[in-house]
Amino acid sequence: RIRRDGIVAPTIAHVVVTNGRQDYLEKTMQQCFLNVGWDNLKLIGCYIVDDSGDPKYREWLAARFPRYEIVPVGDTPQGYARAMKTVWKTVKRSGADYVFHLEDDFLFRNPVMLSDLVTVLQDDPGLAEVAFVRQPWFQNEIRHGGLIKALEVRQVGPFTDMVSKSGINYIKHRAGWTTNPCVYPRWVTNYRWPNGTYSEPFFGKELLKNPKIAFAYYGHKEDKPRCEHIGVVKMGNSTE
């Protein structure tokens, strides 16, 4: 796909991770189709990685979202770490330059353009992801008035408002990796996803062994959250 300006559009895959929460996924996908923009990107693969272990749920997924390839994690629920290992294999197989990673319990109430996040990654190639800021969810985040403010209070490192050379706002940090809605480059999957509990923070620590790697949130610190977490009801152990 060639953009109007003659530049070859970056390729991107959409990976959705679910584990049987049909009601949440319905809302998540509805808002995604309505408000997530793919302009100036070439979408080359759509995947739903399912860790429900439920054949009936997978039948429903295939019928409800025919554009998406349904990728089972296992015949029974395998937990978060194995689900992410399946995501990594799927991303590598897709061959896409970038990935829009979406869990099944996040809503986009207002329009967003994924090309903005890809542009930030292109302008700052040491970034391992650009994530969307969600609303305060945990009590410490509510108490301090937001996700970023709570992280700053924990003194996990500076969160610096930046503007990319293409004029896109982002917040650069080295606090840790998140699988909240985000866009990341395929090279991140060259790093092995760890086994066991709390694999997400351990993965972030592995990336940070390279001093040239950092992370980002889209926008600036005083901006309103771009996505909404709705996952009150959990299935399985999300730390596995």
Side-chain angles (χ1 to χ4, degrees):
R1 180 176 177 180
I2 308 296
R3 295 178 0 188
R4 291 179 181 178
D5 56 11
I7 298 174
V8 176
T11 58
I12 191 167
H14 187 202
V15 177
V16 182
V17 182
T18 185
N19 64 351
R21 299 182 296 179
Q22 180 175 329
D23 290 345
Y24 285 158
L25 182 64
E26 277 274 21
K27 295 175 182 177
T28 292
M29 297 299 275
Q30 181 183 38
Q31 292 290 311
C32 177
F33 295 149
L34 181 65
N35 285 320
V36 174
W38 304 83
D39 291 6
N40 297 319
L41 300 171
K42 183 179 180 181
L43 180 60
I44 64 169
C46 297
Y47 309 91
I48 297 178
V49 174
D50 173 47
D51 190 35
S52 69
D54 183 348
K56 291 184 178 179
Y57 184 61
R58 288 176 187 157
E59 288 178 8
W60 174 81
L61 289 172
R64 182 67 182 83
F65 306 107
R67 185 178 181 181
Y68 286 73
E69 177 185 335
I70 312 305
V71 184
V73 178
D75 294 333
T76 59
Q78 298 295 304
Y80 182 77
R82 290 194 179 182
M84 286 303 301
K85 287 177 180 291
T86 303
V87 169
W88 259 212
K89 292 177 183 178
T90 302
V91 169
K92 291 178 179 179
R93 176 164 59 87
S94 79
D97 301 321
Y98 300 94
V99 180
F100 173 41
H101 185 105
L102 180 62
E103 295 178 334
D104 65 0
D105 56 355
F106 284 88
L107 305 183
F108 289 91
R109 301 285 191 184
N110 297 294
V112 295
M113 295 298 297
L114 296 181
S115 56
D116 282 357
L117 285 73
V118 169
T119 297
V120 170
L121 291 168
Q122 292 176 322
D123 289 350
D124 194 340
L127 292 176
E129 70 171 348
V130 181
F132 290 99
V133 176
R134 58 164 170 76
Q135 87 278 25
W137 181 260
F138 299 105
Q139 284 301 313
N140 65 314
E141 297 168 356
I142 296 170
R143 185 168 62 252
H144 293 295
L147 169 64
I148 302 297
K149 290 179 180 178
L151 290 170
E152 287 181 316
V153 168
R154 285 175 53 196
Q155 298 182 336
V156 292
F159 288 77
T160 307
D161 282 346
M162 307 282 287
V163 181
S164 79
K165 64 183 181 181
S166 300
I168 309 298
N169 293 346
Y170 65 107
I171 309 161
K172 192 169 185 175
H173 67 94
R174 300 189 86 238
W177 169 274
T178 180
T179 52
N180 283 186
C182 62
V183 174
Y184 50 82
R186 190 178 71 239
W187 63 257
V188 171
T189 63
N190 293 331
Y191 287 77
R192 185 183 68 86
W193 193 273
N195 297 314
T197 57
Y198 304 106
S199 59
E200 182 182 63
F202 283 125
F203 178 71
K205 290 178 181 178
E206 187 65 28
L207 287 174
L208 290 174
K209 289 179 180 178
N210 183 337
K212 295 181 179 180
I213 289 179
F215 313 119
Y217 284 101
Y218 178 53
H220 275 171
K221 289 190 284 186
E222 296 304 318
D223 292 350
K224 293 181 179 180
R226 304 290 181 128
C227 64
E228 178 184 347
H229 184 219
I230 60 171
V232 176
V233 177
K234 289 184 175 292
M235 293 187 68
N237 185 349
S238 61
T239 65
E240 288 183 352

